[in-house]
Structures are given as structure tokens and as C-alpha cells.
Amino acid sequence: MNEPVKHLAPSRREAAAEVHRPTPLAPVPSAPVVPLQAGSVPAVTSVVLPDGCVVTGYSVEPAKPEPVAAKPPVSRTAVNIALGGIGFGAVCGGLFLLTAFITALTALITQLITLAAVIFGGWVAVQVLSASGRGSGSGTTVNIRKAVIKRNHFHG
């Protein structure tokens, strides 16, 4: 039975003599194995496709999104504005003291300038008045005699 057939035409013999060898597939790296907890083996599911093929496999649960953090009852912007107002209020006391200090310093400087002007002016007045009373050589002496004034002319 396994002997070659001799009664076939030469073209058919050539066709029968061809040997087809399968091409080996490259090894596929294995997927990482996910350890399952005992007793939690997922159920096998079969799906019938529209062309009639049946696909069988394990069902995979979709990934659940992380829960969204609850919003605070008051917005962060409002809290920041309130804290800024409290900080400004705390600083206002210091600013008030600073402005009061500057005002007092200005009044003190004004009084010192006024006092210096009064003292210097008094010293100048004393110098002028004492010089004319002493008869020192720095002033001009005028002797007035009895004069006769006739017809708007001075005769001395």
C-alpha cells in the first residue's frame, strides 16, 4: 500500500513527489501569570459570533475608576480670600502704629525746627539791638543840633 504508484502520468508523479515541510513558528514569550486567590477562579464564558463561531474564555471585569474625592462645602478660593482678609486685618494694627509713629516723628521734627528758628532769631535780635546800644565803632553816629527850617530849606 505504501508503494509508489506506477500507472500515474508523469505530471501527477511529480505532484505526488513534492514534499511540503511546515515552517516552524517562532516561540512566543509567555504572558505573566497573575496569581489568583483560592476559590476565586473566574467563570468560563462562551460567546456565539454572527458567523456561527463560538469563542470560549474567561470573563474579565472592567477596571473600576477611582472614586472622586468629595468636594468641600466651601471652595478653596473663598477660604484663601478669607485667610488673606484675616492676615490683612492682623497687619492693619501694625500699619496703624507705623502711621502714628511717622505722624509723631513729623510733629517732633517740625517743633524742633520751629524752636531752632525762635532761638536763632532771638540770638540775631539780641546781637543787633546790643550793638546799637553800646556805641561800638560798627554803627553810624548822627548828631542832631537845633536847626532852623525856613521855606522848606534846612539851615544847620
Side-chain angles (χ1 to χ4, degrees):
M1 248 189 129
N2 289 335
E3 296 180 23
V5 179
K6 296 182 182 181
H7 68 286
L8 292 175
S11 65
R12 286 188 141 184
R13 268 191 220 151
E14 291 174 3
E18 288 182 14
V19 178
H20 295 281
R21 300 201 190 278
T23 308
L25 296 174
V28 178
S30 62
V33 177
V34 179
L36 295 174
Q37 296 176 357
S40 66
V41 177
V44 177
T45 306
S46 297
V47 177
V48 179
L49 297 177
D51 62 354
C53 294
V54 177
V55 179
T56 304
Y58 293 105
S59 62
V60 179
E61 293 182 20
K64 295 180 182 177
E66 295 183 20
V68 178
K71 284 188 173 182
V74 179
S75 71
R76 291 185 185 268
T77 305
V79 171
N80 290 339
I81 290 172
L83 290 175
I86 291 171
F88 183 74
V91 170
C92 280
L95 289 176
F96 179 72
L97 289 176
L98 181 65
T99 55
F101 175 75
I102 291 172
T103 304
L105 187 62
T106 305
L108 176 66
I109 291 171
T110 304
Q111 289 176 356
L112 289 176
I113 291 172
T114 305
L115 180 63
V118 168
I119 291 174
F120 182 71
W123 179 77
V124 169
V126 167
Q127 294 299 321
V128 169
L129 293 176
S130 66
S132 63
R134 272 190 236 156
S136 62
S138 64
T140 305
T141 304
V142 178
N143 293 323
I144 301 176
R145 293 182 264 169
K146 287 185 180 180
V148 178
I149 300 174
K150 291 183 180 177
R151 296 186 191 163
N152 293 330
H153 291 290
F154 176 75
H155 300 283

